[in-house]
Amino acid sequence: MALRCWRYLISSCLICSAYGLVPEPQNVRVHSVTFNSTLQWDPLTFHKENVTYTVQYERHSGGFTDLCTRIAFTECSISNLSLLGNYTVRVRTESKKEQSNWKSITFTPIDTVIGPPEVLVEPKPRALYVEVSGPFFQQNGNIWSIRDIYGNVVYSVPIWKKDYGEQVNTVNIKYDSEKLSNLDPWTTYCIQVRAFLPESNKMGEWSKVSCTATTDEGISSMLLTVSLLSVLIVFFLCCWMSLYIYQQVKYVFYPSYSLPQHFKEFLSKPFYSSQSLALQGEDYSHEKITVVSEISKNGIDESEEQVNNAKQQLQNSQETSGAKEGSGFPLLHTVHTEWY
């Protein structure tokens, strides 16, 4: 059947081209979503010359009125027509002074596809607050909602957990907002919304999926994340300031001066007295010196006795020094001094 239609279409176009006729538009249709309506058709394929199109409408047999005149593209907006009533819309092809036959279609604006509504979700403690509006459409420069046309509109809202994909519940919202309660805290839920018209039993298109996490005690997950980041930033700033102040105080009260290298080498060695430094490295032997004084000749006897004692001590000392000469003990000398 489809093959026969294509053969008929090709044959008609070839015949029209052979006799100089312009083929009429094919596949004329109306695309309408939330009263934003457009008349569409397929472009010509077998006509070599440039063509244009003209679109007209008629209501209640009152005569046709132009909507689009000599346009080059294959669609024409018919959204400005009144939403009440039925229309006959037609289109034809034009090339220079030649014109094709009209191709007509019946159009009822109220039979439109209901588009997706606009959805706003706000997290609450163990709940989600959902606001729904629209869908909206524009006509004659004004913006309208489908509630302005139908009045009774119900929004169907299925809700499920994001991680599980299991549908929790379906809520029907009769007004512009609804609070979805009895949800788990700190859990991400996803929702979709579409409009339902009870009077005509018509369902609209689904909105985009919106996923939001619930809260607990009025604190949202986003707010909690921002708070933690703020605390971490303040903590690192405090640490940096403390380190900076410590370095400044240390620089002022404990300056890091460096002694010359020869001072460091001198202070690193053991301390000795000047006499010890003079004698350092030499091996000296010492003898004991005994000073005996004679005051006068009257004390000769006493002096002689002292001299004899001194000589005895000197001999003992020499014997001791000879025995310990290798051990480094000091040797003692006795000096006999006489006073006259």
Side-chain angles (χ1 to χ4, degrees), residues 104-115:
S104 301
I105 190 174
T106 301
F107 169 58
T108 304
I110 204 70
D111 294 335
T112 185
V113 176
I114 305 300

Side-chain angles (χ1 to χ4, degrees), residues 234-281:
V234 172
F235 173 75
F236 284 114
L237 286 177
C238 292
C239 293
W240 181 81
M241 289 298 296
S242 301
L243 181 60
Y244 178 78
I245 295 173
Y246 170 75
Q247 291 177 348
Q248 295 299 319
V249 171
K250 183 180 179 181
Y251 177 78
V252 173
F253 293 99
Y254 302 97
S256 57
Y257 298 120
S258 180
L259 293 174
Q261 185 64 28
H262 61 283
F263 280 6
K264 293 181 179 180
E265 293 178 356
F266 175 76
L267 295 175
S268 64
K269 297 180 180 180
F271 179 76
Y272 298 98
S273 64
S274 59
Q275 297 178 355
S276 300
L277 292 175
L279 299 177
Q280 189 177 15

